[in-house]
Amino acid sequence: MATTSNSSFWSRCSGAALLIALAPVLAAPTQTKLFESRQITPAGEYTFGIEGPAADRDGNLFVVNLGKPGTIGKLAPEATASELFTGLPDGSIGNAIRIDAGGTMFVADYKRHNIFAIASGSAEPRLVFHSDQMNQPNDITLARDGTIYASDPNWKGRSGQIWRIMRDASGNMQGVVMAAPRAMGTTNGIDLSPDGRTLYVGESNSGEIWSYAIAGDRLTEPKLIKTFEPDTIDGLRTDVSGRLFVARILKGAIAVLTPDGRLQRDIALKAKQPTNLAFGGEDGKTVFVSQRQGGFIESFRTDVEGREHCLQRGAC
């Protein structure tokens, strides 16, 4: 809509009518276009291992490997550069972060096969689970009851498994490899449906995304919901409508899928190697993407709140 300075126009409009007429024009420049990504941190901030973005309820974004392996960076709301949040113990390297409704941060250490917890208000990693049986905890997701599901790929063997990690009666974290009805590929991106009953798992080697029903320590009812080209998928997340957002590494896009696997849209990114993504912002509709090509973070706005943001509010 264009405005005019014609004098007859001004003379016909009352002050109130003029404000109404101009309101959409004045508001338009400040509106953010949905699904349009932009780079929000400087290139080179993070290493080639940039991964695991997660946002807390205050709007801070946390990403692993700021400057060097084994670190966690923090991007405050409205900040244009990340700062060091904490470091993991020597030899540990993070690959995934999730934050629960109480503000506790869980970090998957793929190098030493650990899960660390960092309490709200603290920056001190505390070991809560370790297993020598792991290939490497790669990505993790949290259920409403605090259960952690972790993908555990064997990259050389082009195979993988899923761990279920939860607190026992004494409060200690115990883990078990979930029984699965099929041989899995290199399990990578992982998330739950909004109702917590379905687990989505991406297998990087085949480019396949599978859904499973959860029955305690068992995965059941496997369904192949989408096949991309081999070696072109990494992390994934769900929103509260049940859609899947899939990082298309080497393709420079985030694919948005319906729960049954129909491609709804491809969101073009600023670089070609997105490793993972997270929902955050005040309303949970800002998506942050970790970019391996360039070592920076980019973001875009979406139309539906992310499941992880909803979970933190205790609403999912």
Side-chain angles (χ1 to χ4, degrees):
M1 176 182 175
T3 59
T4 176
S5 59
N6 187 283
S7 59
S8 62
F9 171 80
W10 292 100
S11 63
R12 289 196 302 268
C13 293
S14 67
L18 180 60
L19 288 175
I20 293 171
L22 288 180
V25 179
L26 297 175
T30 64
Q31 293 173 347
T32 301
K33 189 174 181 180
L34 295 180
F35 309 115
E36 188 172 281
S37 194
R38 62 188 181 92
Q39 182 176 338
I40 61 171
T41 67
E45 269 198 337
Y46 289 84
T47 73
F48 189 77
I50 182 173
E51 255 284 7
D56 66 15
R57 289 184 63 178
D58 294 327
N60 300 297
L61 180 72
F62 301 89
V63 181
V64 300
N65 300 324
L66 175 68
K68 65 178 184 178
T71 60
I72 298 175
K74 174 183 175 182
L75 181 68
E78 309 304 327
T80 57
S82 303
E83 60 183 7
L84 180 65
F85 171 65
T86 193
L88 299 178
D90 287 347
S92 291
I93 302 177
N95 198 77
I97 303 173
R98 288 295 181 108
I99 302 172
D100 69 13
T104 298
M105 177 187 298
F106 293 91
V107 184
D109 163 21
Y110 81 92
K111 197 71 171 179
R112 292 286 181 91
H113 306 174
N114 297 320
I115 303 292
F116 292 104
I118 302 175
S120 177
S122 171
E124 185 66 30
R126 179 173 58 90
L127 180 65
V128 293
F129 181 73
H130 167 85
S131 177
D132 290 331
Q133 297 177 37
M134 283 183 163
N135 302 302
Q136 56 165 277
N138 187 74
D139 204 356
I140 58 176
T141 188
L142 302 179
R144 187 183 299 113
D145 64 1
T147 298
I148 300 172
Y149 295 94
S151 60
D152 185 20
N154 178 344
W155 293 99
K156 290 183 179 179
R158 299 178 75 80
S159 62
Q161 55 195 8
I162 302 297
W163 284 76
R164 183 174 185 246
I165 304 166
M166 59 187 302
R167 296 191 183 279
D168 61 19
S170 63
N172 296 316
M173 301 291 276
Q174 301 293 331
V176 61
V177 175
M178 301 185 76
R182 54 176 292 273
M184 295 181 173
T186 49
T187 50
N188 194 339
I190 186 171
D191 208 358
L192 290 158
S193 60
D195 63 10
R197 297 176 181 176
T198 301
L199 186 69
Y200 296 102
V201 181
E203 298 181 2
S204 289
N205 64 311
S206 63
E208 296 175 350
I209 297 177
W210 289 79
S211 70
Y212 299 91
I214 298 171
D217 291 338
R218 294 184 301 116
L219 296 173
T220 65
E221 303 176 31
K223 294 179 183 177
L224 176 61
I225 66 168
K226 184 68 177 178
T227 301
F228 294 101
E229 299 94 333
D231 302 310
T232 64
I233 60 172
D234 205 323
L236 65 85
R237 293 291 187 271
T238 57
D239 67 18
V240 296
S241 73
R243 295 182 304 183
L244 287 78
F245 286 61
V246 183
R248 299 295 318 283
I249 195 163
L250 306 181
K251 295 293 183 176
I254 300 296
V256 182
L257 308 177
T258 60
D260 61 359
R262 289 180 293 110
L263 180 64
Q264 204 172 68
R265 67 171 66 242
D266 276 320
I267 302 165
L269 299 175
K270 295 301 181 185
K272 294 293 185 182
Q273 298 181 20
T275 57
N276 219 325
L277 62 143
F279 287 83
E282 186 175 349
D283 59 3
K285 297 180 183 179
T286 298
V287 177
F288 298 97
V289 181
S290 50
Q291 267 289 356
R292 189 170 69 185
Q293 183 186 47
F296 60 81
I297 300 161
E298 56 181 290
S299 76
F300 60 86
R301 292 284 292 166
T302 183
D303 53 348
V304 178
E305 179 187 15
R307 184 193 74 90
E308 58 191 316
H309 184 269
C310 184
L311 187 74
Q312 289 179 358
R313 296 191 296 107
C316 289

